[in-house]
Amino acid sequence: MNTLPRSITLNFRSDNVGTVSPEILRAVEAANRDPAASYGDDQYSAAVNRAFSTLFETEVAVFPVATGTAANALSLSCCARPWGAIYCHQEAHVHTSEAGATEFYSGGAKLLALPGADYQLDPATLRETLATAERGIRNRSQPDAVTITQATEYGTVYRLDGIAAIGAIARDAGLRFHMDGARFANALAKLDCTPADMTWRRGVDILSFGATKNGGMNADAIVVFDPDLVEPLSYRLRRAGQTWSKMRFAAAQLLAYVEDGLYLRLARRANALAARIGRELGALPGVELVAPVDANMLFVRMPDRAIEAIAAAGARYGRRRGGVIRLVTRFDMDEAEAEILLELVRGALD
Protein backbone atom coordinates (compact mmCIF):
# COMPACT_ATOMS: atom_id res chain seq x y z
CA MET A 1 0.00 0.00 0.00
CA ASN A 2 1.26 3.48 -0.88
CA THR A 3 1.82 5.82 2.06
CA LEU A 4 2.45 9.55 2.08
CA PRO A 5 5.27 11.46 3.75
CA ARG A 6 4.15 13.05 7.00
CA SER A 7 4.43 16.53 5.45
CA ILE A 8 2.11 15.71 2.54
CA THR A 9 -1.65 15.40 2.93
CA LEU A 10 -3.65 14.58 -0.18
CA ASN A 11 -6.80 16.42 0.84
CA PHE A 12 -8.87 17.23 -2.22
CA ARG A 13 -12.14 16.90 -0.31
CA SER A 14 -13.04 20.62 -0.39
CA ASP A 15 -11.57 24.10 -0.25
CA ASN A 16 -13.40 24.41 3.09
CA VAL A 17 -10.62 22.30 4.65
CA GLY A 18 -7.97 24.91 3.81
CA THR A 19 -5.97 27.05 6.18
CA VAL A 20 -6.46 30.76 6.77
CA SER A 21 -4.15 32.98 4.77
CA PRO A 22 -1.42 34.67 6.86
CA GLU A 23 -2.55 38.11 5.70
CA ILE A 24 -6.02 37.56 7.11
CA LEU A 25 -4.68 36.18 10.39
CA ARG A 26 -2.56 39.31 10.78
CA ALA A 27 -5.58 41.51 10.07
CA VAL A 28 -7.62 39.78 12.79
CA GLU A 29 -4.75 40.18 15.22
CA ALA A 30 -4.50 43.89 14.42
CA ALA A 31 -8.24 44.35 15.00
CA ASN A 32 -7.82 42.78 18.45
CA ARG A 33 -5.49 45.44 19.84
CA ASP A 34 -8.10 47.94 21.02
CA PRO A 35 -11.80 48.12 21.89
CA ALA A 36 -14.17 49.13 19.11
CA ALA A 37 -17.85 49.91 18.66
CA SER A 38 -20.16 46.91 18.29
CA TYR A 39 -22.70 45.69 15.74
CA GLY A 40 -21.01 47.18 12.71
CA ASP A 41 -20.52 50.72 14.00
CA ASP A 42 -16.73 50.28 14.10
CA GLN A 43 -14.12 51.78 11.79
CA TYR A 44 -13.39 48.45 10.13
CA SER A 45 -16.99 47.98 9.03
CA ALA A 46 -17.12 51.50 7.64
CA ALA A 47 -13.88 50.85 5.79
CA VAL A 48 -15.33 47.66 4.23
CA ASN A 49 -18.10 49.66 2.58
CA ARG A 50 -15.57 52.13 1.18
CA ALA A 51 -13.17 49.42 0.02
CA PHE A 52 -15.87 47.36 -1.70
CA SER A 53 -17.38 50.45 -3.31
CA THR A 54 -13.95 51.13 -4.81
CA LEU A 55 -13.54 47.48 -5.78
CA PHE A 56 -16.92 47.33 -7.54
CA GLU A 57 -16.68 50.86 -8.98
CA THR A 58 -20.06 51.84 -7.57
CA GLU A 59 -21.52 52.57 -4.16
CA VAL A 60 -22.45 49.34 -2.40
CA ALA A 61 -23.60 48.25 1.04
CA VAL A 62 -21.67 45.33 2.52
CA PHE A 63 -22.98 43.05 5.27
CA PRO A 64 -20.58 40.44 6.71
CA VAL A 65 -22.20 37.08 7.47
CA ALA A 66 -20.96 33.84 8.97
CA THR A 67 -21.67 31.46 6.09
CA GLY A 68 -22.45 31.29 2.41
CA THR A 69 -25.80 29.69 3.20
CA ALA A 70 -26.74 32.72 5.30
CA ALA A 71 -25.62 35.01 2.49
CA ASN A 72 -27.71 33.18 -0.10
CA ALA A 73 -30.85 32.65 1.95
CA LEU A 74 -31.02 36.15 3.36
CA SER A 75 -30.18 37.78 0.04
CA LEU A 76 -32.95 35.85 -1.69
CA SER A 77 -35.39 36.51 1.14
CA CYS A 78 -35.22 40.18 0.14
CA CYS A 79 -35.79 39.36 -3.51
CA ALA A 80 -38.88 37.15 -3.29
CA ARG A 81 -42.26 37.27 -1.61
CA PRO A 82 -43.46 34.26 0.41
CA TRP A 83 -45.56 33.23 -2.60
CA GLY A 84 -42.80 34.05 -5.07
CA ALA A 85 -40.76 31.85 -7.39
CA ILE A 86 -36.96 31.91 -7.58
CA TYR A 87 -35.45 30.37 -10.71
CA CYS A 88 -32.16 28.49 -10.48
CA HIS A 89 -30.23 25.68 -12.14
CA GLN A 90 -31.15 22.19 -11.00
CA GLU A 91 -27.62 21.73 -9.56
CA ALA A 92 -27.50 25.13 -7.83
CA HIS A 93 -26.17 25.05 -4.28
CA VAL A 94 -29.25 26.87 -2.97
CA HIS A 95 -31.36 24.02 -4.35
CA THR A 96 -29.24 20.95 -3.56
CA SER A 97 -27.21 21.75 -0.46
CA GLU A 98 -28.82 24.32 1.85
CA ALA A 99 -31.64 22.32 3.47
CA GLY A 100 -34.42 24.67 2.46
CA ALA A 101 -32.75 27.77 3.94
CA THR A 102 -34.01 30.03 1.15
CA GLU A 103 -37.56 28.75 1.53
CA PHE A 104 -37.36 29.21 5.31
CA TYR A 105 -35.96 32.74 5.41
CA SER A 106 -38.19 33.95 2.58
CA GLY A 107 -41.26 32.66 4.38
CA GLY A 108 -42.08 30.13 1.70
CA ALA A 109 -40.78 31.28 -1.69
CA LYS A 110 -40.35 28.36 -4.06
CA LEU A 111 -37.11 27.44 -5.81
CA LEU A 112 -37.88 26.36 -9.36
CA ALA A 113 -34.97 24.35 -10.76
CA LEU A 114 -34.25 24.41 -14.49
CA PRO A 115 -31.87 22.36 -16.68
CA GLY A 116 -28.89 23.78 -18.53
CA ALA A 117 -25.65 22.65 -20.16
CA ASP A 118 -22.38 22.82 -18.23
CA TYR A 119 -24.43 23.06 -15.03
CA GLN A 120 -25.44 26.64 -15.87
CA LEU A 121 -28.83 28.25 -16.14
CA ASP A 122 -29.71 28.58 -19.83
CA PRO A 123 -31.09 32.01 -20.84
CA ALA A 124 -33.39 30.53 -23.51
CA THR A 125 -34.87 28.05 -21.02
CA LEU A 126 -35.37 30.81 -18.46
CA ARG A 127 -37.12 33.00 -21.04
CA GLU A 128 -39.41 30.18 -22.13
CA THR A 129 -40.25 29.30 -18.54
CA LEU A 130 -41.14 32.88 -17.68
CA ALA A 131 -43.35 33.10 -20.76
CA THR A 132 -45.58 30.38 -19.28
CA ALA A 133 -45.37 31.47 -15.64
CA GLU A 134 -49.10 32.29 -15.31
CA ARG A 135 -48.71 35.63 -13.60
CA GLY A 136 -51.66 36.63 -11.49
CA ILE A 137 -52.94 33.06 -11.08
CA ARG A 138 -53.22 32.69 -7.32
CA ASN A 139 -52.53 28.97 -7.22
CA ARG A 140 -49.13 29.49 -8.90
CA SER A 141 -45.91 30.81 -7.38
CA GLN A 142 -45.26 34.22 -8.89
CA PRO A 143 -41.95 35.04 -10.62
CA ASP A 144 -39.78 37.18 -8.34
CA ALA A 145 -36.08 36.35 -8.71
CA VAL A 146 -33.37 34.43 -10.51
CA THR A 147 -30.12 33.18 -8.99
CA ILE A 148 -26.94 31.79 -10.52
CA THR A 149 -23.93 30.13 -8.90
CA GLN A 150 -20.56 31.58 -9.98
CA ALA A 151 -18.51 29.36 -10.19
CA THR A 152 -21.10 26.59 -10.44
CA GLU A 153 -21.31 23.48 -8.27
CA TYR A 154 -19.40 21.63 -11.00
CA GLY A 155 -16.67 24.24 -11.30
CA THR A 156 -17.83 25.80 -14.56
CA VAL A 157 -17.90 29.57 -14.95
CA TYR A 158 -20.61 31.70 -16.54
CA ARG A 159 -19.14 33.91 -19.26
CA LEU A 160 -19.99 37.60 -19.26
CA ASP A 161 -22.41 37.40 -22.15
CA GLY A 162 -24.32 34.61 -20.40
CA ILE A 163 -24.62 36.66 -17.20
CA ALA A 164 -25.73 39.68 -19.23
CA ALA A 165 -28.37 37.62 -21.05
CA ILE A 166 -29.84 36.37 -17.76
CA GLY A 167 -29.65 39.89 -16.33
CA ALA A 168 -31.56 41.30 -19.29
CA ILE A 169 -34.27 38.65 -19.02
CA ALA A 170 -34.61 39.31 -15.29
CA ARG A 171 -34.84 43.06 -15.84
CA ASP A 172 -37.44 42.76 -18.59
CA ALA A 173 -39.52 40.40 -16.45
CA GLY A 174 -39.24 42.53 -13.31
CA LEU A 175 -37.20 39.93 -11.43
CA ARG A 176 -34.35 40.51 -9.00
CA PHE A 177 -31.03 38.95 -10.00
CA HIS A 178 -28.86 37.29 -7.34
CA MET A 179 -25.40 35.78 -7.75
CA ASP A 180 -24.12 33.09 -5.39
CA GLY A 181 -20.42 33.89 -5.43
CA ALA A 182 -19.12 31.34 -2.92
CA ARG A 183 -16.19 30.95 -5.33
CA PHE A 184 -16.44 34.47 -6.72
CA ALA A 185 -12.67 34.99 -6.80
CA ASN A 186 -12.05 31.75 -8.69
CA ALA A 187 -14.60 32.73 -11.33
CA LEU A 188 -13.23 36.25 -11.59
CA ALA A 189 -9.68 34.93 -11.99
CA LYS A 190 -10.86 32.68 -14.81
CA LEU A 191 -12.61 35.50 -16.69
CA ASP A 192 -9.84 38.04 -16.00
CA CYS A 193 -12.34 40.88 -15.78
CA THR A 194 -13.29 43.41 -13.12
CA PRO A 195 -15.73 42.64 -10.29
CA ALA A 196 -18.06 45.29 -11.72
CA ASP A 197 -18.05 43.63 -15.14
CA MET A 198 -19.10 40.29 -13.64
CA THR A 199 -21.88 41.71 -11.45
CA TRP A 200 -23.91 44.92 -11.57
CA ARG A 201 -22.87 45.86 -15.10
CA ARG A 202 -24.47 42.55 -16.16
CA GLY A 203 -27.63 43.19 -14.16
CA VAL A 204 -26.83 41.59 -10.77
CA ASP A 205 -28.76 43.27 -7.92
CA ILE A 206 -27.25 41.45 -4.95
CA LEU A 207 -24.21 39.21 -4.47
CA SER A 208 -23.20 36.54 -2.00
CA PHE A 209 -19.46 37.23 -1.80
CA GLY A 210 -17.42 34.25 -0.65
CA ALA A 211 -14.12 34.47 1.20
CA THR A 212 -14.02 31.47 3.53
CA LYS A 213 -13.26 28.91 0.80
CA ASN A 214 -10.35 30.98 -0.47
CA GLY A 215 -8.26 31.79 2.58
CA GLY A 216 -10.78 33.45 4.88
CA MET A 217 -11.38 32.40 8.46
CA ASN A 218 -15.13 32.63 9.05
CA ALA A 219 -16.54 35.58 7.12
CA ASP A 220 -18.41 35.85 3.86
CA ALA A 221 -20.45 38.88 2.84
CA ILE A 222 -23.57 40.15 1.11
CA VAL A 223 -22.82 42.94 -1.35
CA VAL A 224 -25.90 44.98 -2.28
CA PHE A 225 -25.97 46.95 -5.53
CA ASP A 226 -29.68 47.85 -5.49
CA PRO A 227 -30.20 50.41 -2.68
CA ASP A 228 -33.86 49.39 -2.29
CA LEU A 229 -32.70 46.08 -0.81
CA VAL A 230 -30.46 47.55 1.88
CA GLU A 231 -33.00 48.40 4.58
CA PRO A 232 -35.07 45.20 4.43
CA LEU A 233 -31.89 43.15 4.39
CA SER A 234 -30.59 44.89 7.52
CA TYR A 235 -33.68 43.83 9.47
CA ARG A 236 -33.60 40.29 8.12
CA LEU A 237 -29.95 39.95 9.11
CA ARG A 238 -30.76 41.07 12.63
CA ARG A 239 -33.66 38.64 12.97
CA ALA A 240 -31.47 35.80 11.65
CA GLY A 241 -28.69 36.44 14.18
CA GLN A 242 -26.25 37.61 11.51
CA THR A 243 -25.51 41.04 13.00
CA TRP A 244 -22.44 40.19 15.02
CA SER A 245 -21.50 41.93 18.24
CA LYS A 246 -17.80 42.12 17.38
CA MET A 247 -18.34 42.80 13.70
CA ARG A 248 -14.88 44.33 13.33
CA PHE A 249 -13.25 40.90 13.22
CA ALA A 250 -15.32 39.86 10.23
CA ALA A 251 -14.79 43.23 8.58
CA ALA A 252 -11.04 43.03 9.13
CA GLN A 253 -10.96 39.68 7.31
CA LEU A 254 -12.85 41.08 4.32
CA LEU A 255 -10.63 44.14 4.14
CA ALA A 256 -7.47 42.05 4.12
CA TYR A 257 -9.01 39.67 1.60
CA VAL A 258 -9.46 42.32 -1.08
CA GLU A 259 -6.49 44.51 -0.21
CA ASP A 260 -3.87 44.57 -2.97
CA GLY A 261 -5.71 41.84 -4.85
CA LEU A 262 -5.02 39.10 -2.29
CA TYR A 263 -8.27 37.29 -3.12
CA LEU A 264 -7.29 37.00 -6.78
CA ARG A 265 -3.75 35.80 -6.06
CA LEU A 266 -5.09 33.04 -3.84
CA ALA A 267 -7.74 32.04 -6.38
CA ARG A 268 -5.31 32.00 -9.30
CA ARG A 269 -3.07 29.57 -7.47
CA ALA A 270 -5.95 27.20 -6.76
CA ASN A 271 -7.22 27.51 -10.33
CA ALA A 272 -3.79 26.81 -11.79
CA LEU A 273 -3.43 23.60 -9.79
CA ALA A 274 -6.86 22.42 -10.92
CA ALA A 275 -6.04 23.22 -14.54
CA ARG A 276 -2.82 21.23 -14.35
CA ILE A 277 -4.48 18.21 -12.77
CA GLY A 278 -7.35 18.35 -15.24
CA ARG A 279 -5.04 18.65 -18.23
CA GLU A 280 -2.89 15.69 -17.20
CA LEU A 281 -5.70 13.45 -15.97
CA GLY A 282 -7.71 14.15 -19.11
CA ALA A 283 -4.88 12.82 -21.25
CA LEU A 284 -4.88 9.41 -19.54
CA PRO A 285 -6.72 6.42 -21.04
CA GLY A 286 -10.03 5.66 -19.38
CA VAL A 287 -10.21 9.02 -17.58
CA GLU A 288 -13.01 11.44 -18.40
CA LEU A 289 -13.53 15.01 -17.20
CA VAL A 290 -17.26 15.33 -16.55
CA ALA A 291 -17.24 19.13 -16.75
CA PRO A 292 -14.86 21.79 -18.08
CA VAL A 293 -12.23 22.79 -15.51
CA ASP A 294 -12.82 26.54 -15.24
CA ALA A 295 -12.10 27.13 -11.56
CA ASN A 296 -10.67 25.05 -8.72
CA MET A 297 -12.90 21.96 -8.96
CA LEU A 298 -12.64 18.85 -11.10
CA PHE A 299 -15.24 16.16 -11.61
CA VAL A 300 -13.54 13.04 -12.93
CA ARG A 301 -14.75 9.62 -14.00
CA MET A 302 -11.96 7.04 -13.87
CA PRO A 303 -11.51 3.28 -13.55
CA ASP A 304 -12.11 1.79 -10.11
CA ARG A 305 -8.48 0.72 -9.80
CA ALA A 306 -7.34 4.34 -10.07
CA ILE A 307 -9.82 5.49 -7.42
CA GLU A 308 -8.76 2.60 -5.19
CA ALA A 309 -5.09 3.59 -5.62
CA ILE A 310 -5.57 7.16 -4.44
CA ALA A 311 -7.86 6.02 -1.62
CA ALA A 312 -5.24 3.49 -0.44
CA ALA A 313 -2.68 6.28 -0.31
CA GLY A 314 -4.90 8.23 2.07
CA ALA A 315 -6.25 10.77 -0.41
CA ARG A 316 -9.50 12.48 0.45
CA TYR A 317 -12.00 13.46 -2.23
CA GLY A 318 -15.70 13.78 -2.82
CA ARG A 319 -17.80 11.02 -4.33
CA ARG A 320 -20.55 11.43 -6.90
CA ARG A 321 -22.88 9.00 -8.61
CA GLY A 322 -21.69 6.91 -11.52
CA GLY A 323 -18.06 6.48 -10.49
CA VAL A 324 -17.36 10.21 -10.54
CA ILE A 325 -15.13 11.81 -7.92
CA ARG A 326 -14.73 15.48 -7.05
CA LEU A 327 -11.27 16.96 -6.57
CA VAL A 328 -10.97 20.48 -5.16
CA THR A 329 -7.73 22.46 -5.12
CA ARG A 330 -6.86 25.22 -2.66
CA PHE A 331 -4.60 28.25 -2.43
CA ASP A 332 -2.51 26.53 0.24
CA MET A 333 -2.07 23.26 -1.65
CA ASP A 334 1.47 22.19 -2.41
CA GLU A 335 2.50 21.35 -5.97
CA ALA A 336 3.74 18.05 -4.57
CA GLU A 337 0.17 17.06 -3.70
CA ALA A 338 -0.87 17.45 -7.31
CA GLU A 339 2.14 15.51 -8.55
CA ILE A 340 1.61 12.62 -6.13
CA LEU A 341 -2.05 12.38 -7.11
CA LEU A 342 -1.12 12.24 -10.79
CA GLU A 343 1.58 9.64 -10.18
CA LEU A 344 -0.86 7.42 -8.29
CA VAL A 345 -3.41 7.52 -11.09
CA ARG A 346 -0.77 6.97 -13.80
CA GLY A 347 0.64 4.01 -11.89
CA ALA A 348 -2.79 2.44 -11.46
CA LEU A 349 -3.54 2.74 -15.19
CA ASP A 350 -0.18 1.46 -16.49
Side-chain angles (χ1 to χ4, degrees), residues 23-175:
E23 294 87 348
I24 289 176
L25 284 174
R26 287 195 293 269
V28 172
E29 183 180 12
N32 195 44
R33 292 173 185 165
D34 298 296
S38 57
Y39 297 109
D41 290 331
D42 59 279
Q43 61 180 341
Y44 294 94
S45 297
V48 163
N49 282 285
R50 294 193 300 269
F52 275 65
S53 294
T54 298
L55 181 70
F56 284 94
E57 303 174 62
T58 191
E59 186 172 351
V60 300
V62 183
F63 297 92
V65 292
T67 68
T69 296
N72 288 335
L74 292 167
S75 292
L76 287 168
S77 75
C78 293
C79 297
R81 299 164 292 182
W83 57 89
I86 302 168
Y87 299 90
C88 65
H89 189 272
Q90 60 194 13
E91 296 289 348
H93 196 273
V94 294
H95 177 57
T96 65
S97 304
E98 296 185 352
T102 292
E103 293 91 329
F104 176 80
Y105 281 105
S106 65
K110 185 178 181 63
L111 286 167
L112 295 180
L114 303 175
D118 289 338
Y119 309 95
Q120 299 179 13
L121 191 61
D122 177 58
T125 301
L126 176 63
R127 186 182 296 107
E128 292 166 6
T129 302
L130 289 171
T132 58
E134 297 185 299
R135 290 177 183 269
I137 304 300
R138 287 179 173 79
N139 59 345
R140 297 286 187 270
S141 297
Q142 295 298 292
D144 274 345
V146 58
T147 178
I148 63 172
T149 312
Q150 180 74 326
T152 71
E153 283 301 282
Y154 275 72
T156 60
V157 170
Y158 286 84
R159 272 38 179 188
L160 297 182
D161 57 351
I163 301 172
I166 294 170
I169 293 167
R171 182 182 63 250
D172 292 345
L175 275 59

Side-chain angles (χ1 to χ4, degrees), residues 21-28 30-31 40 42-55 60 62-64 209-211 215-217 219-221 223 247-266:
S21 77
E23 294 87 348
I24 289 176
L25 284 174
R26 287 195 293 269
V28 172
D42 59 279
Q43 61 180 341
Y44 294 94
S45 297
V48 163
N49 282 285
R50 294 193 300 269
F52 275 65
S53 294
T54 298
L55 181 70
V60 300
V62 183
F63 297 92
F209 180 89
M217 180 185 293
D220 292 338
V223 180
M247 188 71 78
R248 69 186 185 275
F249 293 108
Q253 291 179 59
L254 294 169
L255 283 171
Y257 186 62
V258 301
E259 186 177 17
D260 297 328
L262 174 64
Y263 72 118
L264 284 175
R265 293 197 300 276
L266 300 180

Side-chain angles (χ1 to χ4, degrees), residues 284-315:
L284 296 175
V287 176
E288 175 193 357
L289 297 176
V290 174
V293 183
D294 285 342
N296 65 318
M297 292 193 291
L298 306 94
F299 289 80
V300 186
R301 182 178 289 112
M302 63 175 71
D304 288 343
R305 63 184 185 279
I307 297 175
E308 291 165 2
I310 63 174

Side-chain angles (χ1 to χ4, degrees), residues 195-311:
D197 285 340
M198 201 172 78
T199 53
W200 63 269
R201 286 186 180 141
R202 279 3 187 230
V204 175
D205 297 303
I206 190 167
L207 165 71
S208 298
F209 180 89
T212 305
K213 295 178 186 297
N214 189 41
M217 180 185 293
N218 57 357
D220 292 338
I222 300 172
V223 180
V224 186
F225 304 107
D226 183 343
D228 290 342
L229 297 177
V230 172
E231 184 176 10
L233 178 60
S234 68
Y235 285 103
R236 288 179 181 274
L237 285 162
R238 187 58 168 150
R239 292 179 70 225
Q242 291 291 324
T243 305
W244 302 351
S245 173
K246 296 182 180 179
M247 188 71 78
R248 69 186 185 275
F249 293 108
Q253 291 179 59
L254 294 169
L255 283 171
Y257 186 62
V258 301
E259 186 177 17
D260 297 328
L262 174 64
Y263 72 118
L264 284 175
R265 293 197 300 276
L266 300 180
R268 285 180 181 129
R269 175 168 176 76
N271 285 7
L273 285 168
R276 179 198 170 188
I277 294 170
R279 185 171 57 251
E280 298 194 29
L281 284 181
L284 296 175
V287 176
E288 175 193 357
L289 297 176
V290 174
V293 183
D294 285 342
N296 65 318
M297 292 193 291
L298 306 94
F299 289 80
V300 186
R301 182 178 289 112
M302 63 175 71
D304 288 343
R305 63 184 185 279
I307 297 175
E308 291 165 2
I310 63 174

